[in-house]
């Protein structure tokens, strides 16, 4: 069932959907929850950029995708959500995620160590995880709501980019302050100056089309019109999906809980 909506609203919703890493990172996630997540990804507007789930459920996601007759890249998280200052452990976890079939890995930077002035441990962790991920897409989560200060957000962005990150990502979605436009502006400006292609991912608390549109407008202003594609820009979200469908005039069905 649909209702009358403007073509512009539907087009925006479709564009945003194609940029989503549809996410479920709840402690109680199981095969049934992942099956529901996979089913929700096949929408009247199209499909998201990827699924983002815990590594232990990658096999279940592959099975559910095969059963439902379509495929999507699968992302997972490592050193999550703690951002522990343990490069060897983070690299092992990243390698294990790749062995389990992850196409993309989102690893948490040791942000507390960086706040305390230890940039070397952050550099080492990114470098080791880059090597462990191999050719897989590596996104580095900065946890900007905890870094807070502009100079720390920029420093974390630079460390991640210099270490070989394919994307830099705002947040785990597990702290009090997650994605903000202020942090995104610093990150996008650092990407603009990077001298090589690097993507941006906004995660945590992005729940409406209007929220998403504000980030897209910011990316366009800083990085140029047409820059934001699935290869360069992602939203980490679950609750956003229902709002996208509603904004395009589609009845919202059984969607993942808005916990990210």
């Amino acid at each position: 069932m649909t209702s009358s909506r403007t073509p512009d609203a539907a087009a925006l919703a479709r564009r945003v959907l194609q940029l989503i890493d549809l996410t479920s990172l709840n402690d109680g996630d199981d095969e049934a929850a992942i099956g529901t997540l996979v089913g929700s990804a096949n929408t009247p507007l199209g499909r998201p950029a990827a699924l983002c789930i815990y590594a232990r459920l990658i096999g279940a996601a592959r099975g559910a995708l095969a059963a439902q007759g379509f495929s999507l890249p699968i992302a997972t998280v490592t050193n999550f959500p703690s951002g522990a200052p343990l490069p060897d452990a983070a690299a092992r976890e990243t390698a294990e995620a790749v062995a389990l079939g992850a196409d993309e890995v989102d690893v948490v930077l040791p942000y507390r160590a960086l706040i305390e002035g230890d940039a070397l441990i952050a550099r080492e962790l990114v470098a080791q995880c880059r090597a462990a991920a191999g050719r897989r897409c590596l996104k580095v989560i900065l946890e900007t709501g905890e870094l807070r200060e502009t100079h720390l957000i920029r420093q974390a962005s630079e460390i991640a980019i210099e270490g070989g990150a394919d994307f830099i990502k705002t947040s785990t979605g597990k702290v009090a302050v997650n994605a903000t436009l202020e942090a995104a502006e610093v990150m996008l400006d650092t990407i603009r100056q990077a001298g090589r292609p690097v993507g941006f991912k906004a995660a945590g608390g992005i729940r409406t089309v209007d929220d998403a549109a504000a980030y897209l407008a910011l990316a366009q202003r800083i990085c140029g019109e047409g820059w934001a594609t699935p290869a360069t820009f992602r939203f980490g979200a679950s609750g956003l999906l229902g709002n996208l469908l509603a904004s395009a005039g589609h009845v919202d069905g059984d969607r993942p809980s808005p916990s990210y």
Side-chain angles (χ1 to χ4, degrees):
M1 177 179 177
T2 62
S3 62
S4 60
R5 299 291 168 126
T6 67
D8 286 349
L12 176 60
R14 186 174 291 106
R15 183 186 181 199
V16 172
L17 173 64
Q18 293 169 352
L19 300 173
I20 291 178
D21 286 354
L22 187 59
T23 300
S24 189
L25 294 169
N26 303 304
D27 291 342
D29 283 348
D30 56 15
E31 289 192 13
I34 297 306
T36 298
L37 184 76
V38 168
S40 73
N42 199 18
T43 83
L45 297 177
R47 296 170 187 153
L51 302 176
C52 186
I53 59 176
Y54 285 121
R56 61 184 172 81
L57 292 165
I58 291 173
R62 293 283 184 212
L65 286 164
Q68 297 188 42
F70 65 99
S71 62
L72 285 172
I74 295 178
T76 194
V77 290
T78 59
N79 204 32
F80 185 93
S82 66
L86 300 170
D88 292 348
R92 281 195 303 272
E93 190 180 1
T94 297
E96 289 165 2
V98 169
L100 287 168
D103 300 299
E104 305 177 358
V105 177
D106 296 18
V107 63
V108 184
L109 189 86
Y111 60 90
R112 292 187 188 89
L114 186 62
I115 291 168
E116 293 167 1
D118 190 349
L120 290 178
I121 199 74
R123 294 181 191 279
E124 181 63 22
L125 188 143
V126 174
Q128 287 199 33
C129 289
R130 173 70 277 171
R135 293 178 176 271
R136 305 302 198 279
C137 178
L138 182 70
K139 309 188 197 92
V140 177
I141 305 172
L142 309 185
E143 204 67 289
T144 56
E146 296 293 293
L147 292 173
R148 299 184 185 180
E149 302 292 337
T150 296
H151 76 278
L152 284 174
I153 295 169
R154 188 173 295 278
Q155 183 183 21
S157 299
E158 291 170 347
I159 287 169
I161 291 169
E162 290 165 6
D166 297 300
F167 277 73
I168 52 176
K169 175 178 171 181
T170 59
S171 326
T172 61
K174 301 291 187 180
V175 294
V177 177
N178 291 289
T180 67
L181 288 167
E182 293 76 14
E185 183 169 8
V186 177
M187 294 168 68
L188 286 162
D189 185 62
T190 308
I191 287 169
R192 183 181 60 82
Q193 299 179 51
R196 70 173 181 85
V198 182
F200 167 79
K201 180 173 174 179
I206 299 161
R207 305 203 188 285
T208 70
V209 176
D210 287 345
D211 292 340
Y215 284 92
L216 288 173
L218 181 66
Q220 178 172 311
R221 176 170 67 80
I222 294 173
C223 296
E225 186 173 356
W227 179 81
T229 72
T232 58
F233 191 106
R234 303 282 182 88
F235 292 108
S238 56
L240 177 59
L241 180 59
N243 185 265
L244 291 180
L245 294 173
S247 73
H250 296 279
V251 173
D252 185 17
D254 186 15
R255 303 293 163 199
S257 59
S259 58
Y260 194 79

